[in-house]
Amino acid sequence: MTKIEAVIQTSRLDAVKAALHDVGVEGMTVIEVRGHGRQKGHTEFYRGREYTVDLLPKIKLEMVLADALVEKAVHAITEAARTGKIGDGKIFLSRVDDAIRIRNDERGDAAL
Ligand SMILES: Nc1ncnc2c1ncn2[C@@H]1O[C@H](COP(=O)(O)OP(=O)(O)OP(=O)(O)O)[C@@H](O)[C@H]1O
Ligand SMILES: [Mg+2]
């Protein structure tokens, strides 16, 4: 299993969610976050306006997937989230050892 953490522009959330549903992603967690990339302290566009700030609002999506689904999900996110401007965000992948569905104790892929 792999955990995908994707930080995206807030304006791309609906499109990214739809693209992920289309490739079969079921469970996910969406978090409102603030962050900066390598342009810290420089101007960046947010909702069509230019700002000079340290931390901009972003959306972080977290999902744990069976490995077979990971590349499809990464492609769905990049295609739906890309505007081509700085600040489009980033995707981080990490290994997950196990998962447990609390309702019935299912483990591993079956718990996703
Ligand atoms: N190395 C990182 N670790 C954790 N979060 C990061 C990292 N880089 C970026 N982020 C998160 O992603 C958001 C968007 O980053 P951003 O797309 O600006 O990255 P960048 O490296 O500056 O690329 P670009 O040059 O395309 O803007 C940041 O606001 C931050 O929340
Ligand atoms: Mg940046």
Side-chain angles (χ1 to χ4, degrees):
M1 290 174 286
T2 296
K3 178 164 70 175
I4 296 183
E5 291 169 277
V7 182
I8 62 168
Q9 302 272 26
T10 58
S11 61
R12 303 311 300 156
L13 175 60
D14 289 346
V16 169
K17 243 172 33 184
L20 286 168
H21 290 162
D22 285 349
V23 298
V25 171
E26 292 176 326
M28 72 171 72
T29 302
V30 178
I31 311 152
E32 293 180 359
V33 296
R34 280 151 52 86
H36 67 72
R38 60 187 177 176
Q39 289 90 8
K40 185 185 178 198
H42 290 72
T43 53
E44 193 170 311
F45 286 91
Y46 177 63
R47 293 189 170 156
R49 295 181 56 187
E50 206 176 11
Y51 288 82
T52 304
V53 285
D54 273 359
L55 297 168
L56 282 169
K58 300 281 177 182
I59 292 289
K60 184 162 111 168
L61 297 114
E62 286 186 8
M63 67 216 80
V64 176
L65 302 176
D67 290 334
L69 194 51
V70 172
E71 282 309 315
K72 273 186 220 160
V74 167
H75 188 249
I77 295 166
T78 55
E79 289 293 301
R82 181 176 294 133
T83 71
K85 300 200 181 81
I86 58 170
D88 270 355
K90 227 160 260 189
I91 302 173
F92 302 103
L93 305 180
S94 49
R95 309 291 309 158
V96 169
D97 292 332
D98 206 356
I100 299 111
R101 176 173 283 110
I102 291 175
R103 175 169 58 83
N104 56 13
D105 288 328
E106 283 180 303
R107 303 291 288 241
D109 282 12
L112 301 179

